[in-house]
């Protein structure tokens, strides 16, 4: 599947029998036709009222607590299969509500952002996370500097720039993702404010690299832009793969709306799961 170009594999294990290890996730990503930015693994619901439990892997086998584009893909798949207009999914970031927004659009309630330095987390205290002291380049002429940081299921750092195409994020991304200030690594975004309700974004995803889109990064940018008074609380985020609409509601919850697409369906070789304990 894909969410505005974000490569997503949805693996339905709700029938039970196997689970996915980091090694298995990496093997899946290396399987022809199954390369992914994020792997959304569906397990049986663990409580009444839930539709599924999700585990999310990056292509390097690391876990991700949230993936907005992947969650929309799961929503498209399950709502179509089960003739539902809404779902409640359990993720490591908490409960996520998914709804059919009409006209091919799917909305996901991504929860509330976290701004405290220890919640992001950062390696040292910063009282104001709208900007932190971090820069790339010479002290007197930094190339990138003073990012906003926020946790939207995952740690995010947003660098405000005049032109997202003017910077080689493929070069700076790995360095910034693994900077010591981010003990759990971080997603790195370049954000260019085009108007009070439109922001252009380029993303280096933690554990995935440069991607066409990142839903949680879009949410992080929207929240950080409103928090630094660059935009309002309802914005369109343009990523290389397409646009998402982000609404940071007055109740502090973030709702992301955008399309999702099913590309093909297949089965994975059983050998990938050989020796893996039953779920």
């Amino acid at each position: 599947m894909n969410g505005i170009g974000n490569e997503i594999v949805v693996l339905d294990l709700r029938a039970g029998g196997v689970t996915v290890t980091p090694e298995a996730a990496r093997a899946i990503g290396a399987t022809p036709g199954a390369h992914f930015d994020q792997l959304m693994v569906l397990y049986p619901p663990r409580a009444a009222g839930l539709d599924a439990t999700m585990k999310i892997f990056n292509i390097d086998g690391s876990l991700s607590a949230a993936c907005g584009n992947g969650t929309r893909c799961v929503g498209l798949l399950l709502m179509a299969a089960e003739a539902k207009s809404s779902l409640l999914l359990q993720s490591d970031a908490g409960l996520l509500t998914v709804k059919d927004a009409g006209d091919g659009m799917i909305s996901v309630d991504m929860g509330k952002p976290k701004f405290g330095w220890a919640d992001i987390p950062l390696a040292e205290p910063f009282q104001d996370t709208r900007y932190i002291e971090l820069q790339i380049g010479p002290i007197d002429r930094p190339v990138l500097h003073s990012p906003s940081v926020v946790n939207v299921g995952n740690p995010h750092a947003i660098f405000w720039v005049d032109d997202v195409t003017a910077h080689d994020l493929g070069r700076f991304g790995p360095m910034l993702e693994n900077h010591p200030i981010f003990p759990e690594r971080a997603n790195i975004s370049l954000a260019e404010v085009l108007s009070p309700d439109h922001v252009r974004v380029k993303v280096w995803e933690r554990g995935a690299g440069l991607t066409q889109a990142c839903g949680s990064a879009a949410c992080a940018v929207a929240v950080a832009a409103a928090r630094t008074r660059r935009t309002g609380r309802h914005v369109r985020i343009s990523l290389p793969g397409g646009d998402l609409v982000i609404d940071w509601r007055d109740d502090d919850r973030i709702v992301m709306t955008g399309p999702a697409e099913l590309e093909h369906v297949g089965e994975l070789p059983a050998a990938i799961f050989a020796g893996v304990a039953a779920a």
Side-chain angles (χ1 to χ4, degrees):
M1 305 186 74
N2 81 79
I4 62 169
N6 210 175
E7 292 184 308
I8 304 295
V9 168
V10 179
L11 177 57
D12 191 351
L13 297 180
R14 289 178 295 164
V18 294
T19 189
V20 174
T21 63
E23 293 77 17
R26 289 193 292 270
I28 291 168
T31 303
H35 180 272
F36 59 82
D37 295 319
Q38 275 76 40
L39 170 68
M40 315 294 290
V41 185
L42 305 183
Y43 292 115
R46 295 177 180 171
L50 299 180
D51 291 281
T53 298
M54 296 191 307
K55 283 289 183 181
I56 307 169
F57 289 89
N58 298 311
I59 191 68
D60 67 355
S62 62
L63 282 169
S64 178
C67 175
N69 286 323
T71 302
R72 287 202 324 282
C73 288
V74 170
L76 175 68
L77 197 69
L78 296 191
M79 285 191 289
E82 301 175 11
K84 292 185 173 182
S85 60
S86 66
L87 301 169
L88 187 59
L89 304 172
Q90 176 73 58
S91 75
D92 287 349
L95 296 178
L96 302 177
T97 300
V98 185
K99 294 183 178 180
D100 184 343
D103 297 325
M105 298 290 110
I106 295 173
S107 292
V108 179
D109 183 338
M110 297 288 287
K112 298 180 179 182
K114 298 177 182 177
F115 302 116
W117 70 270
D119 296 322
I120 289 170
L122 301 176
E124 59 186 80
F126 283 90
Q127 297 308 310
D128 187 352
T129 53
R130 290 176 296 180
Y131 303 97
I132 66 169
E133 296 175 15
L134 175 61
Q135 68 180 43
I136 295 292
I139 293 177
D140 57 341
R141 295 185 65 186
V143 177
L144 298 171
H145 65 91
S146 308
S148 302
V149 289
V150 57
N151 186 297
V152 181
N154 304 312
H156 289 269
I158 300 99
F159 290 86
W160 306 103
V161 298
D162 293 331
D163 181 359
V164 297
T165 66
H167 302 274
D168 187 356
L169 190 55
R171 175 188 173 194
F172 296 126
M175 183 190 319
L176 291 165
E177 173 193 351
N178 295 284
H179 192 282
I181 195 66
F182 304 118
E184 296 181 7
R185 300 186 293 166
N187 295 268
I188 307 300
S189 294
L190 303 181
E192 173 189 351
V193 178
L194 301 176
S195 74
D197 60 2
H198 188 194
V199 184
R200 182 161 58 178
V201 176
K202 193 173 182 180
V203 184
W204 175 275
E205 281 199 67
R206 179 183 66 166
L210 283 173
T211 55
Q212 288 295 297
C214 177
S216 63
C219 295
V221 168
V223 167
R227 195 170 179 234
T228 56
R229 301 185 182 280
R230 288 177 163 86
T231 68
R233 296 171 72 99
H234 181 87
V235 297
R236 175 162 60 102
I237 303 294
S238 292
L239 296 130
D243 289 2
L244 294 171
V245 174
I246 311 297
D247 186 13
W248 185 21
R249 301 186 320 202
D250 290 341
D251 63 1
D252 205 29
R253 302 189 72 84
I254 309 166
V255 176
M256 175 190 62
T257 302
E261 182 181 13
L262 176 63
E263 295 182 359
H264 64 268
V265 178
E267 295 185 2
L268 292 165
I272 288 177
F273 304 100
V276 176

